Amino acid sequence: MYAIIRSGGKQYRVAEGELLRVERDVLGTADKERVTFSEVLMIGGDQPKVGTPTVPGASVVAKVLRESRGDKIIVFKKKRRKNHTKRKHGHRQDLVELRIESINI
């Protein structure tokens, strides 16, 4: 059995026992031990259920394992004119690693 959830404008396909890395700012304070996702778009398996847009009453419960930071992304901007300067900025996204514990229908 698997589910498709929405978190932070992104969609993830999850199953029980899987590890998932989501953005920390979407979860707010990830200091909690458990996180519940209520935006379940689809539940798959023998009898799939597709939501319009979400499946009513469905939720996914996950346990917070650790917090980390993603790889560095370099943003480089340059225009080909004389008076424009080159700009180079970096970014590392804060991530939270979760383990999916249960899919509730």
Side-chain angles (χ1 to χ4, degrees), residues 2-103:
Y2 67 92
I4 297 177
I5 61 172
R6 184 183 326 166
S7 174
K10 298 176 183 169
Q11 297 176 4
Y12 300 97
R13 182 186 187 269
V14 297
E16 290 184 14
E18 283 187 353
L19 295 179
L20 177 67
R21 292 175 60 168
V22 297
E23 296 176 357
R24 183 178 188 275
D25 53 351
V26 173
L27 296 179
T29 57
D31 301 331
K32 297 180 260 181
E33 200 169 300
R34 298 195 190 290
V35 178
T36 302
F37 295 99
S38 59
E39 286 190 273
V40 179
L41 304 175
M42 179 182 164
I43 294 180
D46 295 336
Q47 298 175 345
K49 293 183 182 179
V50 178
T52 56
T54 60
V55 178
S59 64
V60 174
V61 178
K63 180 180 179 183
V64 176
L65 297 179
R66 67 184 179 107
E67 294 185 24
S68 63
R69 299 198 64 189
D71 296 334
K72 181 134 187 175
I73 298 171
I74 298 196
V75 179
F76 182 74
K77 296 183 180 182
K78 178 184 182 296
K79 291 188 180 177
R80 63 181 191 95
R81 293 291 175 236
K82 187 174 182 180
N83 294 331
H84 190 274
T85 58
K86 294 185 253 183
R87 292 202 284 163
K88 183 176 180 180
H89 295 284
H91 176 74
R92 289 184 72 183
Q93 182 68 41
D94 293 328
L95 300 172
V96 175
E97 189 170 330
L98 306 170
R99 172 173 280 128
I100 305 299
E101 291 189 337
S102 64
I103 299 173

